[in-house]
Amino acid sequence: MNFSTDGSHIVFARSADETDTVRAFYRVPFFGGVPEKLLTDLDWCPAFSPRGDQITFVRNSASRNKSILMIANSDGATEREVAVRPLTEPYSFAAWSPDGQSIAASAGSTELGEASRVVVAVGVADGVEKTVTAHKWYWIDGVTWLADGSGLILAGNSNKSLANSQLWLLSCADGEARRITNDSNNYNYPIISSDSKVLIAGRVELQTHLFVAPAGDLARARRLTTGLGDYKDVNWTADGKLLVTAFENDHADIWLREVEGNSNRQLTSNAGTNWGQSTSPDNRYIVFDSDRTGDFHIWRMDSDGGNPVQLTKGGGEKFAKISPDEKSVVYTSFHDWTLWKISIDGGDPVQISKGYARESTISPNGKWIAYCTFAENRYRLALMPFTGGPPVKLFDLPSTAPLPQSFRWSTDGLGVLFIASPEGVATSGSSLSWAARRIW
């Protein structure tokens, strides 16, 4: 939400439901009334020009594969494009400068694990984009100008922990970025008063836990973790233990955890961000994603964390999965979003899909690969042979399933599991649960 420049209206962006990625822009009188729709197809709440007669907003177009910085009149009329980026490196959180000459925004890759978001300033008249600072953030949650235009306040995270976004002061003169806050909280959406004397921001305290439950009986779930933590990518090993990615001290590392008792063993350390782990059925190897060389690649290590070996050397790879026969690794090249396959011993990779393919999952019999794709103007579940080629089946998902997302095969190989929420319940917070889509 935001106020109009003269304070007479509240403006906001709203989607039809929690799964709709296309938002519309509305305004409502400050003292109440019927919301008026001004324009459609935008991704963030617009920001007003200093005089309040124009707005700037971001439109991410899947059909054009572009992220577009837009300008329109304050009533939504007379739209025009100002600057365009690839959809893989989109704009977000546009903010109009006090002198009205430029628009600041966050820009760069939003893919999980990449520290490549920057702050740019785009000329209103000519659309020329300039990077304000060489400093990069893993994620940026809002940008706002100081009243005199000398700098910006932003909420951003310059490391790869998802739980530690801080407030920063960015100088436009020399590009210096200085942290204003330095604690374990997560800050977002900063707003500054017209005299730059008061700053307001949201604060989030993140706490995640690991649970284990009998299959199909979540009422008997038992918590495994205590205290504060941030956990990702939980996977079973062949001998009934858990491989878990844990964020700690600004690093993401892979741990081996016993289900019974409190035994934990750290398998990676002091080597960048490590996650996306998959274990071989014989429990000999673990493959995982790591950026320890500067870009994300697929790595293999022994089940005890020893003998790490880099398997891929392309332009960036993620989402490694070991085949049931333990001979191959399937992964996603996220620079063009295609699926590839490589020997568990390394060598030359082979491309097995074309078109958008996110994280894949291999069927228990090793004959099929399921993955999230973008087809017919929406995200869908795709099924293709393990040998590669175009999808042989495409499946729609319920409207309560947040997209895009990852999938996992059921143990009997007859269906694919995914995340969804009960009908009528928002897809945030504790309302998410597992659902299944029968394949055969």
Side-chain angles (χ1 to χ4, degrees):
M1 294 185 295
N2 205 342
F3 278 102
S4 61
T5 304
D6 61 7
S8 63
H9 288 77
I10 295 174
V11 298
F12 57 93
R14 184 173 69 186
S15 55
D17 57 52
E18 67 271 15
T19 63
D20 191 357
T21 59
V22 178
R23 298 176 179 89
F25 178 49
Y26 293 80
R27 70 180 176 188
V28 63
F30 176 72
F31 291 104
V34 178
E36 177 188 7
K37 182 189 290 187
L38 302 181
L39 57 86
T40 59
D41 193 7
L42 71 161
D43 288 80
W44 308 96
C45 189
F48 283 90
S49 64
R51 294 191 302 175
D53 59 336
Q54 291 183 300
I55 55 174
T56 180
F57 60 96
V58 175
R59 174 173 290 158
N60 290 329
S61 171
S63 60
R64 294 176 57 186
N65 199 30
K66 300 293 184 182
S67 179
I68 310 157
L69 186 64
M70 303 286 299
I71 285 179
N73 293 342
S74 60
D75 61 359
T78 319
E79 297 181 10
R80 73 175 178 91
E81 297 182 6
V82 181
V84 177
R85 274 181 157 261
L87 191 56
T88 54
E89 299 180 354
Y91 293 109
S92 62
F93 301 113
W96 216 306
S97 65
D99 63 7
Q101 300 301 307
S102 61
I103 297 168
S106 167
S109 173
T110 59
E111 180 56 32
L112 197 64
E114 292 185 69
S116 58
R117 298 293 288 177
V118 297
V119 177
V120 299
V122 178
V124 172
D126 56 16
V128 174
E129 177 186 301
K130 296 180 181 179
T131 303
V132 177
T133 176
H135 193 99
K136 293 184 178 182
W137 287 266
Y138 170 61
W139 181 249
I140 294 175
D141 272 325
V143 177
T144 185
W145 285 89
L146 298 178
D148 62 3
S150 63
L152 300 112
I153 300 290
L154 64 90
N157 186 359
S158 60
N159 56 50
K160 295 175 182 178
S161 167
L162 296 180
N164 196 28
S165 183
Q166 299 291 300
L167 295 175
W168 296 72
L169 174 62
L170 177 59
S171 170
C172 291
D174 55 14
E176 179 188 6
R178 179 172 61 85
R179 283 175 66 162
I180 300 173
T181 58
N182 189 14
D183 55 43
S184 60
N185 294 312
N186 186 38
Y187 297 92
N188 55 32
Y189 311 128
I191 302 172
I192 198 164
S193 61
S194 58
D195 59 5
S196 295
K197 292 182 178 181
V198 178
L199 173 65
I200 299 175
R203 188 180 74 180
V204 178
E205 297 177 358
L206 177 65
Q207 185 177 3
T208 63
H209 287 289
L210 300 176
F211 288 78
V212 62
D217 190 4
L218 294 183
R220 295 170 58 194
R222 175 169 54 91
R223 196 170 80 179
L224 302 180
T225 54
T226 60
L228 297 176
D230 187 8
Y231 305 100
K232 310 289 178 187
D233 295 335
V234 183
N235 293 275
W236 290 98
T237 65
D239 57 357
K241 299 177 183 178
L242 292 176
L243 285 174
V244 181
T245 296
F247 287 90
E248 187 175 354
N249 298 325
D250 298 340
H251 294 285
D253 284 303
I254 300 171
W255 293 70
L256 182 66
R257 185 181 184 93
E258 300 278 355
V259 175
E260 302 296 337
N262 296 316
S263 176
N264 288 304
R265 182 176 182 181
Q266 188 171 353
L267 303 183
T268 63
S269 61
N270 301 320
T273 296
N274 307 275
W275 53 17
Q277 61 274 5
S278 171
T279 184
S280 60
D282 63 1
N283 221 33
R284 180 184 179 190
Y285 290 130
I286 297 170
V287 295
F288 60 101
D289 316 338
S290 179
D291 68 348
R292 62 186 64 189
T293 60
D295 203 350
F296 269 97
H297 299 294
I298 306 303
W299 286 70
R300 187 198 73 208
M301 64 182 173
D302 296 342
S303 59
D304 62 359
N307 301 315
V309 176
Q310 182 177 338
L311 297 182
T312 63
K313 300 178 175 63
E317 303 87 30
K318 284 186 182 179
F319 309 132
K321 299 292 186 297
I322 299 179
S323 61
D325 64 6
E326 303 160 359
K327 294 181 180 180
S328 304
V329 177
V330 175
Y331 62 90
T332 300
S333 171
F334 62 83
H335 282 194
D336 61 0
W337 294 103
T338 54
L339 292 179
W340 294 69
K341 182 166 56 177
I342 194 171
S343 167
I344 190 71
D345 298 315
D348 295 326
V350 177
Q351 185 175 349
I352 58 175
S353 81
K354 294 183 179 180
Y356 180 91
R358 196 171 171 84
E359 184 174 356
S360 64
T361 179
I362 306 172
S363 63
N365 63 10
K367 295 182 178 180
W368 301 97
I369 297 175
Y371 60 95
C372 184
T373 190
F374 193 84
E376 299 176 0
N377 205 35
R378 63 187 184 274
Y379 289 104
R380 307 180 78 185
L381 168 62
L383 184 70
M384 76 173 188
F386 182 77
T387 53
V392 297
K393 288 186 177 182
L394 291 171
F395 301 93
D396 291 327
L397 296 170
S399 61
T400 57
L403 295 170
Q405 67 163 284
S406 57
F407 306 102
R408 297 190 184 184
W409 282 90
S410 59
T411 53
D412 60 9
L414 297 178
V416 172
L417 302 174
F418 58 91
I419 293 292
S421 69
E423 291 289 344
V425 179
T427 57
S428 60
S430 60
S431 61
L432 294 173
S433 59
W434 282 104
R437 177 63 164 88
R438 190 174 177 86
I439 298 294
W440 308 117

